[in-house]
Every structure is written in C-alpha cells, then in structure tokens.
Amino acid sequence: MAEKGVKVFGMWASPMAIRVEWALRLKGVEYEYVDEDLGNKSEALLRYNPVTKKIPVLVHDGKPIAESTIIVEYIDETSKDGYPLMPVDPYERAQARFWARFAEDKCNAALYPIFVTTGEAQRKVVHEAQQCLKTLETALKGKKFFGGDSVGYLDIIVGWFAHWLPVIEEVSGASVVTDEELPLMKAWFDRFLAVDMIKAALPDRDRLLALNKARREQLVSSA
Amino acid sequence: MSSTKEEAPAVRVLGLWASPFVIRVLIALRLKGVEHEVLEEVVGKKSELLLRSNPVHKKIPVLLHHGKPISESLIIVQYIDEVWSSNAPAVLPADPYVRAVERFWAQYIDDKFPRGIRILKGTVDGNKDEIVEQLSTALQLLEEAFLKLSNGKHYFGGDNIGYLDIALGSHVGWVRAVEKIAGVQLLDAAKVPHLVAWADRFCAHPAVMDVLPDADRFVEYSVKYGSFFPTRSSTTK
C-alpha cells in the first residue's frame, strides 16, 4: 500500500526543523512529526536521508526531501493555492534566496563562536556577529517583515533567531541583538513571534535554555 | 536631429572565464538564447562595478539585468530560468519533487567540490588522499543519481541539459585539471561510467562548448596564477 500524507523528521530543539513546521502550518498542511534522538537516529531517517543523515527530512507520500531551505520552497510549490511563501517577482525571489544563503553561510557561522567563548574573545566575536546581522538587517528595509506586510520565505529561514538568540545570549552572558545595535531586527523579532502560526510551533523556552546551558558548559570546559 | 545614445546592454555578466560559478551563468544564458555582454575581471584586482554590484561578498559572478545586480551562481541560474521562462528549454524541472532533488544535489556538489578542488590544486592545505576518497564517494552517489534522474536519457535533465547538469558540469573543467595536477583519477570510467559519458556529452553541448575550455587551459591558468588564483575570498558560490 502506498504511503500517503506528510511526515516531518525533526528534533525539538532544531532551528532547521522548525522552518519546515512553520511553512506547513502557514499553508494549513497537516503533518506527522517524528522527533529524532540525534545520538541514536532511527532506521527510517537513515533510509530517507542516506546521503547526509540529517534532519529535517520531509516525506511526502513516501518521497523524501532533505535540506530545510529546499523543503520550504518545495512546500510553497506544492501548495500553490495556500499562503504564499516566496515572492512572485523573480528579482525579489533572487534577493530572498540570496539573503537566506547569507544567513545560513555567514550569520550561523558568526553566532556559534559566541556560544563557545568567554571574556575578551567573546566580545570580539559578538562584534563580528553584530556586523553580520546588521548586513542582514538591511534586507528589512523599513518593512514589517522580510516578506513585506506578512511573513514570507526569508522570515521563515531566519526567524529562528527571534526565539533562539535570546536563549543563546542568556546562556552565554552576551548581548547581541540590542535596541542600540540592531533596532530593526529587535522590532522584527517581536512582530515575528507574535504571529499565531509561528507561536504555535516554538519549543519550550525553559527546556531550550536547560539544553543549551548544559551544552555550553561542556563546550567551554573542553575548549 | 537623431542622436543614438549608447546604452549598456540589458544583460551583463561580471566574471572570470576560469570560474565554474561564472561558467554556470554563461551556460544558462546561452541555453536560453539571451544576448549578453561579459565583462571579464582582472585576476587579483576587483573592478569598481563589481564592488558596487556585490558589496556583501565582493565576488563574481554577478548578473546585471537592466543594471540590477543578482549574485550567487545557482540563484542567478534560477533567476534566468524564471525571467526567460518562455524560452525553451526549461532549466529547472517542472515537477516540484524532481526540482527539490536536483536542488539537493546541487547544494551537495557545492559543499564538496570547490574545497576539494582547491586542496588538490594546492591553493589550500589539506589531505589529498582524503579528498580523493571524498570526491570519489560523491561521484559514486552522483552516478546513482544520474541513473535515476536521466531515466535512460542523455542528461540529468533528460533530453536536454538542466539545473543539475549545469551545477555539476561546470566543475568538469577543474576536475579534469586537478586529475592532471595532482595525478589522481576522479572521473574514472571504471567506477562512474555513466558520468564519464555524460561529462563528454555535456562538454560538447552547444551551450557549453565555448564557455567550458579543455582541462589543459585550466592547468595553464593554475600554473600562471598560482598564488593569485581566486580562492574562497574572491569567487562566490
């Protein structure tokens, strides 16, 4: 019997997995969520994504797709009548993809060092991360959301910052997204987290805090 | 009185002939039959236009369409496909699932090949044996992907070259060049016979042949520019 429906293989604390959930929720698509133990990956996950073995993986009627940014575009293309995620204009689409790549390649890499450093070393990497986020901030350009008046593809890709960064800041004792340095981004954080479909899929903050506290202790002590 | 005002061409590409990322853009434009002007950058010295057009990364390729800049080779290729959607052939597959699969492999290719090639060329330090192992594994997976996606036809895209053909094919010049430079075998007919045959077909395709030179020219380039070769810091992906 052919497999039907939508399954998401993810992990509750993963920012990449949440993008997929946000996209599906905005489209009103029902899905089954499979929470993976990354230290002991399921046979199903390894079967669906033998190449990178990573989450998230979307399985649609038995067919698997990996890589969150690719999954989000796929969701948009297969639910054309639903909520629009990608811009319509090709130039705007190219811009959205460009900034998504920038956020993935540069901003993520700039944020991680904050998590594993302390003192002067941390101050240096915080400054670098802020420069990166300031560049990304230019894409907001006086709009409510990266997508314009409503949440779009780019908001979904970088939106995890809004929930995870304050946790990382608290755990690491750093201030990154402040009113002084990144006012537009900070304001967007609040607007983004206020959107119902977004709020509905956020992992519990305390649980996220505890997980990241433990991880930081481990990483800093072994540095 | 009539005056002819010299207008910049509608489509311009800022690039370097030896960059696989630039080659992708040129193939896509030729495939779609789009008239364009190529502005060749000087190795080691970025033009004002480039710095202005891609202030974030300061890297080639950049497509300028009526003066508006688009950066990142795979993003540019998709842009070309969307803007000139009425020009056959389609670059991205019509089916969303196949499209997602091709995008997955294109990203995988860019995760593995650029860095691997730099190490085998000697511009970046690394374990060459390990890299040969990694790239051979990657090519094995791509051989299997080719069999699934081509469905018995000539290209990943089927009857004509498409997104994934362009994503992988653009690296063939340097792959063959580093085989000579490092004395290794990557596109091995014994291991990946379908890819080897595909690579020959790809290189001979009318949209490709004038913008993807022979391996020897890449080898010459490597020898000539040595330390000036655009590393991670000046070509984008």
Side-chain angles (χ1 to χ4, degrees):
Chain A
M1 182 144 105
E3 238 182 277
K4 279 264 161 217
V6 179
K7 243 188 199 168
V8 177
F9 287 81
M11 188 261 173
W12 69 270
S14 162
M16 278 81 224
I18 208 166
R19 292 165 175 168
V20 176
E21 289 201 85
W22 283 336
L24 290 168
R25 282 168 186 268
L26 285 165
K27 290 287 193 185
V29 173
E30 280 189 29
Y31 60 97
E32 184 195 332
Y33 189 86
V34 177
D35 196 43
E36 286 283 324
D37 171 0
L38 298 182
N40 185 18
K41 294 177 181 177
S42 72
E43 176 271 326
L45 172 62
L46 298 176
R47 187 169 25 96
Y48 284 128
N49 185 7
V51 178
T52 66
K53 306 176 175 54
K54 290 183 185 173
I55 54 100
V57 176
L58 181 88
V59 181
H60 186 195
D61 293 343
K63 297 194 292 190
I65 298 147
E67 295 298 318
S68 59
T69 56
I70 293 172
I71 296 171
V72 172
E73 285 215 47
Y74 172 80
I75 291 168
D76 198 38
E77 288 164 11
T78 47
S79 305
K80 280 198 149 87
D81 295 332
Y83 184 101
L85 298 177
M86 289 290 288
V88 171
D89 174 69
Y91 184 75
E92 294 304 318
R93 292 160 72 86
Q95 293 308 296
R97 288 171 176 147
F98 173 87
W99 287 115
R101 206 71 327 257
F102 176 81
E104 281 294 87
D105 292 346
K106 305 289 180 193
C107 297
N108 287 10
L111 290 168
Y112 183 74
I114 297 172
F115 193 67
V116 301
T117 50
T118 54
E120 188 53 45
Q122 191 190 64
R123 262 185 287 279
K124 189 167 171 276
V125 295
V126 164
H127 178 76
E128 280 165 21
Q130 286 173 330
Q131 295 316 301
C132 207
L133 291 172
K134 280 179 182 179
T135 303
L136 179 61
E137 200 185 45
T138 64
L140 264 175
K141 277 189 290 250
K143 294 177 288 179
K144 272 180 79 182
F145 298 100
F146 286 100
D149 285 328
S150 45
V151 163
Y153 169 80
L154 188 52
D155 299 274
I156 291 175
I157 300 305
V158 306
W160 70 277
F161 291 161
H163 190 62
W164 269 255
L165 269 185
V167 171
I168 291 169
E169 286 172 336
E170 191 179 323
V171 160
S172 315
S175 273
V176 186
V177 180
T178 62
D179 286 314
E180 300 76 44
E181 294 294 331
L182 290 149
L184 295 181
M185 187 144 290
K186 193 141 194 289
W188 167 75
F189 276 13
D190 294 335
R191 282 195 294 272
F192 182 74
L193 294 176
V195 174
D196 288 333
M197 290 299 171
I198 301 304
K199 259 195 298 200
L202 296 174
D204 180 69
R205 194 185 192 274
D206 290 333
R207 210 180 157 203
L208 204 58
L209 196 64
L211 176 72
N212 282 289
K213 260 200 183 123
R215 245 194 222 144
R216 171 161 158 99
E217 268 160 33
Q218 216 178 20
L219 290 164
V220 168
S221 66
S222 64
Chain B
M1 182 171 80
S2 71
S3 59
T4 41
K5 184 177 165 193
E6 281 252 19
E7 275 179 17
V11 181
R12 307 164 98 189
V13 179
L14 305 182
L16 276 171
W17 73 260
S19 160
F21 310 109
V22 171
I23 289 169
R24 288 171 174 174
V25 174
L26 299 179
I27 293 172
L29 288 168
R30 295 168 90 89
L31 196 61
K32 292 288 200 182
V34 175
E35 268 190 47
H36 57 279
E37 178 188 41
V38 181
L39 296 174
E40 196 79 13
E41 289 283 311
V42 171
V43 178
K45 186 177 190 289
K46 297 178 188 189
S47 70
E48 264 309 304
L49 182 58
L50 172 60
L51 297 175
R52 235 179 21 241
S53 307
N54 188 0
V56 175
H57 300 296
K58 305 177 174 54
K59 296 177 188 175
I60 48 122
V62 177
L63 183 83
L64 291 165
H65 189 198
H66 296 301
K68 293 204 296 192
I70 300 113
S71 307
E72 303 285 320
S73 64
L74 294 178
I75 292 175
I76 297 171
V77 169
Q78 291 180 87
Y79 174 82
I80 290 167
D81 196 34
E82 289 167 15
V83 170
W84 286 279
S85 55
S86 50
N87 295 20
V91 177
L92 273 286
D95 180 78
Y97 182 72
V98 183
R99 189 179 290 200
V101 171
E102 288 207 4
R103 282 175 172 151
F104 171 86
W105 286 116
Q107 193 168 300
Y108 176 83
I109 285 160
D110 279 354
D111 280 343
K112 307 278 178 220
F113 284 81
R115 183 177 164 267
I117 286 169
R118 278 191 292 269
I119 288 170
L120 290 176
K121 221 167 14 79
T123 24
V124 164
D125 277 327
N127 185 329
K128 290 188 181 173
D129 291 331
E130 222 173 76
I131 291 300
V132 170
E133 180 79 44
Q134 276 181 30
L135 292 183
S136 297
T137 303
L139 286 165
Q140 203 62 56
L141 290 173
L142 288 161
E143 167 93 356
E144 287 163 28
F146 176 79
L147 288 168
K148 280 196 203 130
L149 291 166
S150 64
N151 238 324
K153 298 198 173 169
H154 284 326
Y155 304 104
F156 285 94
D159 287 320
N160 210 331
I161 63 173
Y163 184 74
L164 186 50
D165 295 277
I166 294 172
L168 180 59
S170 54
H171 285 301
V172 167
W174 276 111
V175 166
R176 288 193 162 141
V178 298
E179 284 180 328
K180 297 186 184 212
I181 294 168
V184 296
Q185 258 226 300
L186 294 169
L187 279 166
D188 184 344
K191 294 187 181 163
V192 288
H194 295 91
L195 278 190
V196 172
W198 162 82
D200 288 337
R201 280 194 297 270
F202 180 81
C203 293
H205 189 286
V208 178
M209 60 192 205
D210 292 333
V211 294
L212 183 54
D214 286 335
D216 287 334
R217 284 213 54 203
F218 290 94
V219 175
E220 275 162 35
Y221 185 101
S222 181
V223 168
K224 180 175 181 183
Y225 289 107
S227 57
F228 287 118
F229 185 79
T231 60
R232 248 176 323 141
S233 62
S234 60
T235 51
T236 190
K237 291 196 268 183

